[in-house]
Amino acid sequence: MSSTLQERIAEVSRRVKRACERSGRSSQDVTVIAVTKYVSLEKTSAVLDGGLQDIGESRWQDAENKWKALGNRGTWHFIGHLQTNKVKDVIGKFQYIHSLDRLSLAKELQRKAEAAGIDVKVFIQVNISGEDTKFGLEPEKMPDFLREIAGYNNLKVIGLMTMAPHEEDPELTRPVFRGLRELRDKLNGLELTPEPITELSMGMSNDFEVAIEEGATWVRLGTVLVGHEEGS
Ligand SMILES: *Cc1c(COP(=O)(O)O)cnc(C)c1O
């Protein structure tokens, strides 16, 4: 890919807009998270200069130098599998955690957030596709999980997150994204959270348009936006 970062940002935003139009949604309801895990501090800085506000990283080890330099700009999203012993590193730095997938992690997030006197916005990661290589709670476990964390007052459950299997034809991912939306609506009907769960974090470079058509409110885009470091 020889296009510049600015061209790619513009192209992605056109594609988001068209997917919204196709599905009768407002493009203001969809936020692009630029996933910078493959790229350098310089490139991450250029993304912020280019007008994107939301940065996604999946490992603290890769994010640390970028956050230290740029953490005062933009909004930071932790999107990868989060080890319990890394909670202390990310709490207070990442405003959103997309990968809450177990009670022990919820406990530790609550403990550290409470100690810091802050709230942390979380998405619960759900394994809709049922692939055993994917992290995430089984959909059937969600009601009990929400009941268990109901008293964790510093965790604000704002949404659900999922990852679809990689498919050559993105259309094949549609049932996964639709499944997450339907699960959200069903859970809201059970009224297990103080506020309804509104957000859906779903869609990556290969499948974000389908995810948007199915209701994504946050798309997490790496390759299509910033490429890999060897490229440009
Ligand atoms: C790497 C990653 C992405 C971005 O992947 P691309 O296919 O490069 O867009 C999105 N979400 C998660 C959880 C990731 O780990």
Side-chain angles (χ1 to χ4, degrees):
M1 286 189 277
S2 58
S3 49
T4 65
L5 177 62
Q6 212 54 55
E7 286 166 345
R8 288 195 204 183
I9 293 174
E11 176 61 15
V12 162
S13 104
R14 275 192 293 276
R15 288 173 62 184
V16 167
K17 195 156 170 272
R18 282 198 297 265
C20 286
E21 279 162 8
R22 279 198 297 280
S23 48
R25 303 184 59 206
S26 161
S27 51
Q28 304 203 324
D29 295 341
V30 180
T31 305
V32 171
I33 299 171
V35 176
T36 50
K37 67 184 183 195
Y38 310 118
V39 301
S40 65
L41 166 58
E42 291 68 34
K43 191 79 176 268
T44 306
S45 176
V47 167
L48 290 161
D49 293 339
L52 292 177
Q53 295 294 325
D54 291 273
I55 300 292
E57 284 280 339
S58 59
R59 284 161 33 109
W60 172 242
Q61 298 92 301
D62 300 333
E64 185 170 1
N65 73 323
K66 299 173 208 172
W67 190 87
K68 284 185 172 151
L70 303 169
N72 57 344
R73 299 175 60 193
T75 302
W76 291 68
H77 299 255
F78 196 89
I79 63 171
H81 182 66
L82 181 54
Q83 290 170 272
T84 310
N85 65 5
K86 292 287 187 311
V87 167
K88 62 178 183 329
D89 298 321
V90 306
I91 204 83
K93 301 188 177 85
F94 289 76
Q95 290 91 338
Y96 294 82
I97 308 283
H98 290 242
S99 47
L100 174 56
D101 61 354
R102 59 197 190 279
L103 194 57
S104 58
L105 178 59
K107 274 190 183 139
E108 181 65 4
L109 284 166
Q110 167 60 28
R111 195 169 16 232
K112 291 286 191 285
E114 191 178 358
I118 57 170
D119 286 344
V120 53
K121 295 187 198 114
V122 297
F123 294 80
I124 301 174
Q125 185 170 355
V126 190
N127 185 353
I128 297 285
S129 69
E131 284 179 293
D132 51 16
T133 53
K134 293 270 190 288
F135 290 108
L137 284 157
E138 292 165 38
E140 310 75 62
K141 303 230 165 97
M142 282 297 299
D144 280 344
F145 187 73
L146 288 174
R147 286 184 195 104
E148 280 168 322
I149 66 170
Y152 292 23
N153 293 326
N154 300 72
L155 295 190
K156 302 298 168 202
V157 177
I158 62 161
L160 305 181
M161 182 274 230
T162 202
M163 291 171 77
H166 183 85
E167 301 283 0
E168 285 306 315
D169 177 3
E171 187 55 36
L172 297 175
T173 62
R174 189 178 296 278
V176 172
F177 299 136
R178 181 171 297 168
L180 195 70
R181 168 166 51 83
E182 289 173 351
L183 177 64
R184 177 196 63 186
D185 296 345
K186 188 176 129 203
L187 292 171
N188 283 335
L190 300 175
E191 299 186 14
L192 299 169
T193 47
E195 302 288 330
I197 297 170
T198 54
E199 307 303 308
L200 295 173
S201 169
M202 58 186 195
M204 303 176 23
S205 291
N206 191 52
D207 52 25
F208 69 97
E209 288 151 305
V210 177
I212 290 170
E213 289 167 14
E214 292 300 331
T217 58
W218 301 83
V219 291
R220 310 177 309 267
L221 304 180
T223 316
V224 71
L225 207 49
V226 292
H228 288 253
E229 201 57 353
E230 325 66 83
S232 68

